[in-house]
Structure formats: structure tokens, C-alpha cells
Amino acid sequence: MVNVGLIGCGSIARKRHLSELSSNPNAKIVAVCDIVRERADEIAAEHGAKAYYDYKGVIGHSGIDAVLVLATNVLHSKMTVEALKAGKHVLCEKPMATSLGDAEAMIKAADETGRNLMIGHNQRLAPAHVKAKEILSSGRLGKVQTFRTTFGHQGCEGWAIDGRNTWFFEKRHVGLGTMADLGIHKADLLRWLLDETFCEAAAFTGTLEKRYAYGKDKGKPIDVEDNAVCLIRGKGGVMGTITASWSYKKEDNSTTLYCDNGVMTLFGPTGHDIAVMYADGSREFHDITGIQTNARQSDSGVSALFIKEIVSGVKPEIDGREGYEALKIVMACMESAEKGTVVRF
């Protein structure tokens, strides 16, 4: 049995991790923490756990084996490093950090302590994406030449527990905007699907819609990007686009891969989870479980894999280095947008 503590009782805890952990026979929720006392008290009562209002209480709890870091992005690295050094395994939500230096500190702490550090990149665990990788690995589509992938919806205020007052819109809490929230999912997915190392980026970002809903800045544009259009290229020559948006009026979480022998679309307009159109005119369709949306949450597989790896005594598949490589793509895109030039990394 893995005794677990959660730091952060916001939407990602409530809509994903708590339900997945509570149904896992190898996990027990022992403690929860949130700076909003009512949230911590509510979740603690629901799960028979101890409530804390300072994350150090969870990290210092001698009966906890593993910690989930679900707090604001800028605190991910600090909390993770402290938890690892306290002997806890850590599952940290994405983005793992808001700078590459902070991400490196997390990796170093995991290496030095021998504890597991997993980053919550769930898209590579989606059954349809796993099937897509099998199809690519079979070789029947040949090499992927170019791609386009997007993740966009109406905005994180529809998901966040604080609604339009969400910390996602404040740079001092979030660090980066839609690229760290949504684009990083696709950065990780592409790396994994294509088994590719990306090395060049060119990007445009902007704040096109979102405004502050309160305080002295009410009505002014938020201080992080709500849209991003990025071009990236891999060492093997593959190239394509990642777009991320908090202003799509209909959610889009699709990927299209243009290959030597055909085209594969994931969660695209065909209505199928996977649609493969071969150059010879043949077609192949797969419908598995659909894709998670903010409105329709299904089991992400993240918490289950985290617990399974701890119980089995194996190192995490989606470890700090995997998280770092996805973050590196995002940071290169942000640098490109800021400088107006191609960034090589």
C-alpha cells in the first residue's frame, strides 16, 4: 500500500487525481493540503485524510510514501525538490517547472535521493495515442514527414476552481500561459509518438481575448499568452506546427501526421479516434475511448502508473528528463516569440 499526500485541492485534484487514487487498491489518501482551508477540510473529510494548510505538513508527514504536487506552476520545483529530499516519491503536474534551471534541480534531487519523479503528461497514455504509436512502429505508414497538432478550448477559467479569478491568468503564479498549460501536452506527445528529438523552434504568441475580471487591472489583457502558433523541427528532419489556445469556441485536441505512405489523424473531423488514409486508397479506423475533455473526464492512467511503478520498484517511464525535454520545446517557442527569431536548442 502506497500512502499518498496531495498538495493542492483545486480542479486537477478534484476532477482527476482524487477519484483515480481512491479507486486504486494499492493507494491510500492520507493527507491533503490547500491554502484555502475550506477546500482542504472538505477533501479531507471526504477521503478520511488529514487536512493541512501548509505544504510542509504533507512533506513532513512520516506516514506518507508519495506526494502529488498539484499547486501553482511556479511552486512545482520548490515543492518537488523538498518532497524528494524528504524521501517521498513525487508525481508533479505539468509543466514540471517554469524554467529549465528549476527543472534541472528537480531531476538532480530525484537522482540524488533515488526517489521516483514522474511528470503528469497524460496524453501519451491515452489508449488511442498508444494505438497510434503501434501503427507508426509497424512501418506501414513509413516515415512521418510533417505534422500539425493543436490543443485549444474556451479557456482555463471554465476548468479552474476559481473561475475567471483563476491563477492561470497571472504570470506571477503560472509563469507561462497557454503553451505551458496546453501546448506542452502536444510537445510531449510528439516527442513520444515520433521518437524524435526537436532542436529548432519559431513561434508567435499573443493575448487575443482574455482579460482580468477583477482588481485594479480589471478589463486589461492578462499578462500571459492565450494563443500560440509554433513551428518546430526535429534532428531527423520532421517538422510541423503546435498551436495552443484558450479562445477556441469548440475544443480541439487533434493531431495529423503526414507520412510517406499516407495520413493519420487523431481525434480529427472524421469523428474517429484514429483515421488512417493510405496512399493506395485503403482506409483504417479505430475508435477506442475518445479523448479527455474538461467537461468529460475519463481515467488518465497517470496516478495508476505512478502507484504501479512505486509498488513494482521500477523507475518512472515519464520521468523528470521526459518532462524536461517537453519543457525545453515550450521554452524555445517562447524565446522565439519574444525575440522574433528562430531558436536552436
Side-chain angles (χ1 to χ4, degrees), residues 259-282:
C259 311
D260 293 336
N261 304 323
V263 179
M264 177 160 60
T265 300
L266 311 175
F267 303 111
T270 65
H272 295 283
D273 290 1
I274 303 173
V276 185
M277 312 295 182
Y278 291 99
D280 64 6
S282 60

PDB file of all heavy atoms in Angstrom, residues 259-282:
ATOM      1  N   CYS A 259       2.653  11.205 -43.645  1.00  0.00           N
ATOM      2  CA  CYS A 259       3.712  10.202 -43.716  1.00  0.00           C
ATOM      3  C   CYS A 259       4.022   9.813 -45.163  1.00  0.00           C
ATOM      4  O   CYS A 259       3.307  10.210 -46.087  1.00  0.00           O
ATOM      5  CB  CYS A 259       3.287   8.959 -42.936  1.00  0.00           C
ATOM      6  SG  CYS A 259       2.667   9.300 -41.275  1.00  0.00           S
ATOM      7  N   ASP A 260       5.060   9.017 -45.349  1.00  0.00           N
ATOM      8  CA  ASP A 260       5.459   8.552 -46.675  1.00  0.00           C
ATOM      9  C   ASP A 260       4.304   7.866 -47.404  1.00  0.00           C
ATOM     10  O   ASP A 260       4.114   8.079 -48.606  1.00  0.00           O
ATOM     11  CB  ASP A 260       6.616   7.543 -46.567  1.00  0.00           C
ATOM     12  CG  ASP A 260       7.905   8.157 -46.079  1.00  0.00           C
ATOM     13  OD1 ASP A 260       8.078   9.387 -46.243  1.00  0.00           O
ATOM     14  OD2 ASP A 260       8.741   7.423 -45.532  1.00  0.00           O
ATOM     15  N   ASN A 261       3.537   7.057 -46.677  1.00  0.00           N
ATOM     16  CA  ASN A 261       2.539   6.192 -47.309  1.00  0.00           C
ATOM     17  C   ASN A 261       1.098   6.537 -46.964  1.00  0.00           C
ATOM     18  O   ASN A 261       0.193   5.746 -47.243  1.00  0.00           O
ATOM     19  CB  ASN A 261       2.802   4.726 -46.918  1.00  0.00           C
ATOM     20  CG  ASN A 261       4.209   4.291 -47.276  1.00  0.00           C
ATOM     21  OD1 ASN A 261       4.763   4.689 -48.299  1.00  0.00           O
ATOM     22  ND2 ASN A 261       4.797   3.462 -46.425  1.00  0.00           N
ATOM     23  N   GLY A 262       0.889   7.693 -46.361  1.00  0.00           N
ATOM     24  CA  GLY A 262      -0.473   8.061 -46.029  1.00  0.00           C
ATOM     25  C   GLY A 262      -0.549   9.112 -44.946  1.00  0.00           C
ATOM     26  O   GLY A 262       0.458   9.729 -44.571  1.00  0.00           O
ATOM     27  N   VAL A 263      -1.760   9.312 -44.424  1.00  0.00           N
ATOM     28  CA  VAL A 263      -2.021  10.334 -43.423  1.00  0.00           C
ATOM     29  C   VAL A 263      -2.776   9.703 -42.252  1.00  0.00           C
ATOM     30  O   VAL A 263      -3.738   8.951 -42.463  1.00  0.00           O
ATOM     31  CB  VAL A 263      -2.864  11.489 -43.998  1.00  0.00           C
ATOM     32  CG1 VAL A 263      -3.153  12.535 -42.930  1.00  0.00           C
ATOM     33  CG2 VAL A 263      -2.167  12.117 -45.199  1.00  0.00           C
ATOM     34  N   MET A 264      -2.343  10.001 -41.029  1.00  0.00           N
ATOM     35  CA  MET A 264      -3.056   9.539 -39.844  1.00  0.00           C
ATOM     36  C   MET A 264      -3.549  10.745 -39.062  1.00  0.00           C
ATOM     37  O   MET A 264      -2.768  11.640 -38.733  1.00  0.00           O
ATOM     38  CB  MET A 264      -2.166   8.665 -38.962  1.00  0.00           C
ATOM     39  CG  MET A 264      -2.866   8.223 -37.677  1.00  0.00           C
ATOM     40  SD  MET A 264      -2.142   6.774 -36.866  1.00  0.00           S
ATOM     41  CE  MET A 264      -0.489   7.356 -36.527  1.00  0.00           C
ATOM     42  N   THR A 265      -4.843  10.758 -38.762  1.00  0.00           N
ATOM     43  CA  THR A 265      -5.450  11.838 -37.983  1.00  0.00           C
ATOM     44  C   THR A 265      -5.975  11.272 -36.674  1.00  0.00           C
ATOM     45  O   THR A 265      -6.671  10.249 -36.656  1.00  0.00           O
ATOM     46  CB  THR A 265      -6.606  12.492 -38.761  1.00  0.00           C
ATOM     47  OG1 THR A 265      -6.096  13.031 -39.986  1.00  0.00           O
ATOM     48  CG2 THR A 265      -7.227  13.621 -37.951  1.00  0.00           C
ATOM     49  N   LEU A 266      -5.653  11.938 -35.585  1.00  0.00           N
ATOM     50  CA  LEU A 266      -6.082  11.531 -34.248  1.00  0.00           C
ATOM     51  C   LEU A 266      -7.076  12.547 -33.723  1.00  0.00           C
ATOM     52  O   LEU A 266      -6.764  13.742 -33.647  1.00  0.00           O
ATOM     53  CB  LEU A 266      -4.869  11.446 -33.314  1.00  0.00           C
ATOM     54  CG  LEU A 266      -3.664  10.659 -33.856  1.00  0.00           C
ATOM     55  CD1 LEU A 266      -2.488  10.763 -32.886  1.00  0.00           C
ATOM     56  CD2 LEU A 266      -4.043   9.215 -34.094  1.00  0.00           C
ATOM     57  N   PHE A 267      -8.269  12.079 -33.394  1.00  0.00           N
ATOM     58  CA  PHE A 267      -9.333  12.931 -32.844  1.00  0.00           C
ATOM     59  C   PHE A 267      -9.643  14.121 -33.746  1.00  0.00           C
ATOM     60  O   PHE A 267      -9.853  15.236 -33.286  1.00  0.00           O
ATOM     61  CB  PHE A 267      -8.960  13.401 -31.433  1.00  0.00           C
ATOM     62  CG  PHE A 267      -8.679  12.254 -30.490  1.00  0.00           C
ATOM     63  CD1 PHE A 267      -7.390  12.031 -30.025  1.00  0.00           C
ATOM     64  CD2 PHE A 267      -9.681  11.396 -30.102  1.00  0.00           C
ATOM     65  CE1 PHE A 267      -7.116  10.967 -29.164  1.00  0.00           C
ATOM     66  CE2 PHE A 267      -9.414  10.329 -29.245  1.00  0.00           C
ATOM     67  CZ  PHE A 267      -8.140  10.121 -28.775  1.00  0.00           C
ATOM     68  N   GLY A 268      -9.665  13.851 -35.045  1.00  0.00           N
ATOM     69  CA  GLY A 268      -9.916  14.905 -36.012  1.00  0.00           C
ATOM     70  C   GLY A 268     -11.362  14.959 -36.469  1.00  0.00           C
ATOM     71  O   GLY A 268     -12.261  14.352 -35.866  1.00  0.00           O
ATOM     72  N   PRO A 269     -11.627  15.658 -37.579  1.00  0.00           N
ATOM     73  CA  PRO A 269     -13.008  15.891 -38.044  1.00  0.00           C
ATOM     74  C   PRO A 269     -13.701  14.651 -38.592  1.00  0.00           C
ATOM     75  O   PRO A 269     -14.906  14.695 -38.869  1.00  0.00           O
ATOM     76  CB  PRO A 269     -12.825  16.957 -39.134  1.00  0.00           C
ATOM     77  CG  PRO A 269     -11.411  16.817 -39.589  1.00  0.00           C
ATOM     78  CD  PRO A 269     -10.636  16.401 -38.370  1.00  0.00           C
ATOM     79  N   THR A 270     -12.993  13.534 -38.780  1.00  0.00           N
ATOM     80  CA  THR A 270     -13.646  12.314 -39.258  1.00  0.00           C
ATOM     81  C   THR A 270     -14.609  11.743 -38.226  1.00  0.00           C
ATOM     82  O   THR A 270     -15.487  10.944 -38.549  1.00  0.00           O
ATOM     83  CB  THR A 270     -12.607  11.223 -39.587  1.00  0.00           C
ATOM     84  OG1 THR A 270     -11.935  10.821 -38.380  1.00  0.00           O
ATOM     85  CG2 THR A 270     -11.588  11.722 -40.595  1.00  0.00           C
ATOM     86  N   GLY A 271     -14.421  12.139 -36.964  1.00  0.00           N
ATOM     87  CA  GLY A 271     -15.253  11.599 -35.896  1.00  0.00           C
ATOM     88  C   GLY A 271     -14.708  10.327 -35.294  1.00  0.00           C
ATOM     89  O   GLY A 271     -15.264   9.808 -34.314  1.00  0.00           O
ATOM     90  N   HIS A 272     -13.621   9.802 -35.837  1.00  0.00           N
ATOM     91  CA  HIS A 272     -12.988   8.612 -35.312  1.00  0.00           C
ATOM     92  C   HIS A 272     -11.799   8.993 -34.428  1.00  0.00           C
ATOM     93  O   HIS A 272     -11.140  10.007 -34.666  1.00  0.00           O
ATOM     94  CB  HIS A 272     -12.492   7.717 -36.447  1.00  0.00           C
ATOM     95  CG  HIS A 272     -13.598   7.154 -37.292  1.00  0.00           C
ATOM     96  ND1 HIS A 272     -14.382   6.100 -36.888  1.00  0.00           N
ATOM     97  CD2 HIS A 272     -14.048   7.518 -38.529  1.00  0.00           C
ATOM     98  CE1 HIS A 272     -15.264   5.831 -37.844  1.00  0.00           C
ATOM     99  NE2 HIS A 272     -15.089   6.677 -38.833  1.00  0.00           N
ATOM    100  N   ASP A 273     -11.515   8.154 -33.435  1.00  0.00           N
ATOM    101  CA  ASP A 273     -10.327   8.393 -32.626  1.00  0.00           C
ATOM    102  C   ASP A 273      -9.084   8.403 -33.501  1.00  0.00           C
ATOM    103  O   ASP A 273      -8.209   9.256 -33.359  1.00  0.00           O
ATOM    104  CB  ASP A 273     -10.174   7.309 -31.554  1.00  0.00           C
ATOM    105  CG  ASP A 273     -11.221   7.397 -30.459  1.00  0.00           C
ATOM    106  OD1 ASP A 273     -12.087   8.292 -30.540  1.00  0.00           O
ATOM    107  OD2 ASP A 273     -11.169   6.576 -29.532  1.00  0.00           O
ATOM    108  N   ILE A 274      -8.999   7.416 -34.391  1.00  0.00           N
ATOM    109  CA  ILE A 274      -7.877   7.310 -35.325  1.00  0.00           C
ATOM    110  C   ILE A 274      -8.434   7.060 -36.717  1.00  0.00           C
ATOM    111  O   ILE A 274      -9.252   6.160 -36.920  1.00  0.00           O
ATOM    112  CB  ILE A 274      -6.922   6.155 -34.966  1.00  0.00           C
ATOM    113  CG1 ILE A 274      -6.380   6.313 -33.543  1.00  0.00           C
ATOM    114  CG2 ILE A 274      -5.772   6.061 -35.966  1.00  0.00           C
ATOM    115  CD1 ILE A 274      -5.555   5.121 -33.062  1.00  0.00           C
ATOM    116  N   ALA A 275      -7.996   7.848 -37.680  1.00  0.00           N
ATOM    117  CA  ALA A 275      -8.342   7.632 -39.083  1.00  0.00           C
ATOM    118  C   ALA A 275      -7.043   7.604 -39.893  1.00  0.00           C
ATOM    119  O   ALA A 275      -6.263   8.547 -39.838  1.00  0.00           O
ATOM    120  CB  ALA A 275      -9.261   8.737 -39.602  1.00  0.00           C
ATOM    121  N   VAL A 276      -6.826   6.506 -40.604  1.00  0.00           N
ATOM    122  CA  VAL A 276      -5.629   6.366 -41.436  1.00  0.00           C
ATOM    123  C   VAL A 276      -6.060   6.269 -42.886  1.00  0.00           C
ATOM    124  O   VAL A 276      -6.854   5.391 -43.247  1.00  0.00           O
ATOM    125  CB  VAL A 276      -4.809   5.123 -41.049  1.00  0.00           C
ATOM    126  CG1 VAL A 276      -3.508   5.080 -41.856  1.00  0.00           C
ATOM    127  CG2 VAL A 276      -4.495   5.118 -39.553  1.00  0.00           C
ATOM    128  N   MET A 277      -5.556   7.168 -43.699  1.00  0.00           N
ATOM    129  CA  MET A 277      -5.829   7.176 -45.142  1.00  0.00           C
ATOM    130  C   MET A 277      -4.526   6.857 -45.863  1.00  0.00           C
ATOM    131  O   MET A 277      -3.596   7.669 -45.869  1.00  0.00           O
ATOM    132  CB  MET A 277      -6.354   8.551 -45.578  1.00  0.00           C
ATOM    133  CG  MET A 277      -7.477   9.110 -44.715  1.00  0.00           C
ATOM    134  SD  MET A 277      -8.983   8.125 -44.783  1.00  0.00           S
ATOM    135  CE  MET A 277     -10.075   9.088 -43.730  1.00  0.00           C
ATOM    136  N   TYR A 278      -4.460   5.683 -46.459  1.00  0.00           N
ATOM    137  CA  TYR A 278      -3.231   5.261 -47.141  1.00  0.00           C
ATOM    138  C   TYR A 278      -3.186   5.800 -48.565  1.00  0.00           C
ATOM    139  O   TYR A 278      -4.226   6.067 -49.193  1.00  0.00           O
ATOM    140  CB  TYR A 278      -3.139   3.742 -47.141  1.00  0.00           C
ATOM    141  CG  TYR A 278      -2.899   3.150 -45.776  1.00  0.00           C
ATOM    142  CD1 TYR A 278      -3.950   2.637 -45.028  1.00  0.00           C
ATOM    143  CD2 TYR A 278      -1.623   3.126 -45.221  1.00  0.00           C
ATOM    144  CE1 TYR A 278      -3.741   2.107 -43.755  1.00  0.00           C
ATOM    145  CE2 TYR A 278      -1.396   2.598 -43.957  1.00  0.00           C
ATOM    146  CZ  TYR A 278      -2.461   2.091 -43.235  1.00  0.00           C
ATOM    147  OH  TYR A 278      -2.254   1.574 -41.979  1.00  0.00           O
ATOM    148  N   ALA A 279      -1.996   5.939 -49.077  1.00  0.00           N
ATOM    149  CA  ALA A 279      -1.797   6.482 -50.429  1.00  0.00           C
ATOM    150  C   ALA A 279      -2.438   5.611 -51.499  1.00  0.00           C
ATOM    151  O   ALA A 279      -2.794   6.107 -52.578  1.00  0.00           O
ATOM    152  CB  ALA A 279      -0.304   6.658 -50.702  1.00  0.00           C
ATOM    153  N   ASP A 280      -2.598   4.306 -51.217  1.00  0.00           N
ATOM    154  CA  ASP A 280      -3.203   3.404 -52.203  1.00  0.00           C
ATOM    155  C   ASP A 280      -4.728   3.428 -52.168  1.00  0.00           C
ATOM    156  O   ASP A 280      -5.390   2.676 -52.888  1.00  0.00           O
ATOM    157  CB  ASP A 280      -2.706   1.974 -51.999  1.00  0.00           C
ATOM    158  CG  ASP A 280      -3.113   1.376 -50.656  1.00  0.00           C
ATOM    159  OD1 ASP A 280      -3.888   2.026 -49.919  1.00  0.00           O
ATOM    160  OD2 ASP A 280      -2.655   0.261 -50.338  1.00  0.00           O
ATOM    161  N   GLY A 281      -5.311   4.298 -51.331  1.00  0.00           N
ATOM    162  CA  GLY A 281      -6.758   4.432 -51.261  1.00  0.00           C
ATOM    163  C   GLY A 281      -7.415   3.646 -50.151  1.00  0.00           C
ATOM    164  O   GLY A 281      -8.603   3.856 -49.862  1.00  0.00           O
ATOM    165  N   SER A 282      -6.692   2.748 -49.506  1.00  0.00           N
ATOM    166  CA  SER A 282      -7.263   1.980 -48.401  1.00  0.00           C
ATOM    167  C   SER A 282      -7.374   2.841 -47.152  1.00  0.00           C
ATOM    168  O   SER A 282      -6.666   3.852 -47.008  1.00  0.00           O
ATOM    169  CB  SER A 282      -6.428   0.731 -48.126  1.00  0.00           C
ATOM    170  OG  SER A 282      -5.097   1.079 -47.772  1.00  0.00           O
TER     171      SER A 282
END
